[in-house]
Amino acid sequence: MRAFFIPAMASASLLLTACATAPNDPTLTLQTHKTPAQYAECVVPKLQGSALNPTVSQTQRSYRIVVPSKVAADNVLEAYKAQDGGKVFLYERHLLASSFMPSSFERAAQECL
């Protein structure tokens, strides 16, 4: 029983560590020459093509794209006006096992720069 308990606790703590990142710190910060509207027009179809269901909201200076997650906090992409185009903040929460390769969410964000 004890031999099973120690590896199980170690695995559980690793999984929880992946979800324990601060929710206000972006996973990735990117620069683009596109405006926030142009960037959103590019990234939303890519997310929909990856079978993700994005929700888009906008303000005068930014676009916010939210993709719901069933196992962690929602993934968020925010594009803001910047001096030379836009600045993009990616907030992605995923399990440790999937962090070795870029997710379809991150790939779409980078392809639209």
Side-chain angles (χ1 to χ4, degrees), residues 18-29 73-76 78 88-93:
C19 296
T21 57
N24 294 332
D25 293 338
T27 309
L28 193 60
T29 302
D74 291 348
N75 296 319
V76 178
E78 294 178 329
V88 178
F89 297 96
L90 180 87
Y91 300 88
E92 184 175 23
R93 308 295 178 244

Side-chain angles (χ1 to χ4, degrees), residues 1-17 96:
M1 179 78 168
R2 183 177 243 172
F4 173 75
F5 183 71
I6 292 172
M9 289 302 293
S11 297
S13 67
L14 281 174
L15 288 174
L16 290 174
T17 302
L96 185 63

Side-chain angles (χ1 to χ4, degrees), residues 93-107:
R93 308 295 178 244
H94 48 78
L95 298 175
L96 185 63
S98 65
S99 65
F100 297 110
M101 293 179 31
S103 65
S104 56
F105 185 69
E106 184 178 335
R107 277 195 309 274

